[in-house]
Amino acid sequence: MWIWRMHLLSRLGELHYRHMGRRCFIVGTGPSLLKHPPELLAKLSKEIAFGCSRIGQWQDRPFKLRYQVITDWNQLEFVMRGEITIEECQERFLLSPQDIGLVGWTYIPCLPNHFYAANHGIGGLSPVWKATNGRSSPFKAMQLALWMGCKSIYLLGCDTTLRGHVWNPEDRRNEHNPER
């Protein structure tokens, strides 16, 4: 446990201020991404861009991502099957309350689902920085970007609707309430 904690502290230290003062883009999976021309989205390949959730399912994505972020245990099934892992990413992050040892993914601790930033602040509850829970990959990716020192954060495809994905705009995002 002590060795793991020291490794985690070291890893978090390496990430801290990595992109100090730079801008970044958080790319979600919402169908609003389809409203942007592919030639404009292609410019993301030269930026610090975090891809969220199942963005790897968008096979004809016109850009490359520097980072991939997953936060939801439901996404792990897709990772295990190799369906959403983006190989060209510089680094892939699993932000989760528990480290499950995904090969090729950097574990970043976050608070359990019942803790929220409004109730507990953004610093977490321990000396090890933990992302607070917003129940969304873009929210946690923003926290990671801030930890890495990004000054300006732009959101693309981080739709607030529960309908559709960039790879299937008619898809239902919320299986528990399909009428939303």
Side-chain angles (χ1 to χ4, degrees), residues 153-166:
I153 300 173
Y154 300 91
L155 305 176
L156 295 171
C158 298
D159 301 2
T160 57
T161 178
L162 294 175
R163 288 192 164 272
H165 289 93
V166 68

Side-chain angles (χ1 to χ4, degrees), residues 8-22 24 26 50 67 91 93 95 106-109 122-124 126-132 139-153:
L8 178 59
L9 287 172
S10 172
R11 187 70 194 109
L12 288 173
E14 291 170 19
L15 295 172
H16 202 208
Y17 300 129
R18 175 186 279 183
H19 300 300
M20 188 63 180
R22 304 216 18 225
C24 76
I26 308 293
F50 295 78
Y67 302 114
E91 196 161 4
F93 297 101
L95 281 82
T106 299
Y107 166 67
I108 302 290
I122 62 170
S126 77
V128 176
W129 174 77
K130 293 182 178 182
T132 55
F139 181 78
K140 290 181 184 173
M142 284 189 293
Q143 291 180 70
L144 183 56
L146 288 169
W147 179 258
M148 295 171 116
C150 294
K151 182 177 180 181
S152 301
I153 300 173

Side-chain angles (χ1 to χ4, degrees), residues 37-95:
E39 56 275 4
L40 180 64
L41 290 174
K43 294 180 180 185
L44 288 172
S45 298
K46 296 178 182 173
E47 300 283 349
I48 299 166
F50 295 78
C52 297
S53 305
R54 298 186 298 163
I55 191 77
Q57 283 186 273
W58 187 16
Q59 299 300 317
D60 53 349
R61 190 176 59 254
F63 55 89
K64 293 184 188 229
L65 296 161
R66 184 169 303 187
Y67 302 114
Q68 184 176 5
V69 176
I70 63 168
T71 61
D72 191 336
W73 284 89
N74 297 337
Q75 299 161 7
L76 295 178
E77 179 182 337
F78 295 101
V79 171
M80 301 295 196
R81 292 193 310 240
E83 293 178 13
I84 65 170
T85 301
I86 303 171
E87 296 300 328
E88 78 266 6
C89 284
Q90 179 179 320
E91 196 161 4
R92 292 176 292 281
F93 297 101
L94 166 64
L95 281 82

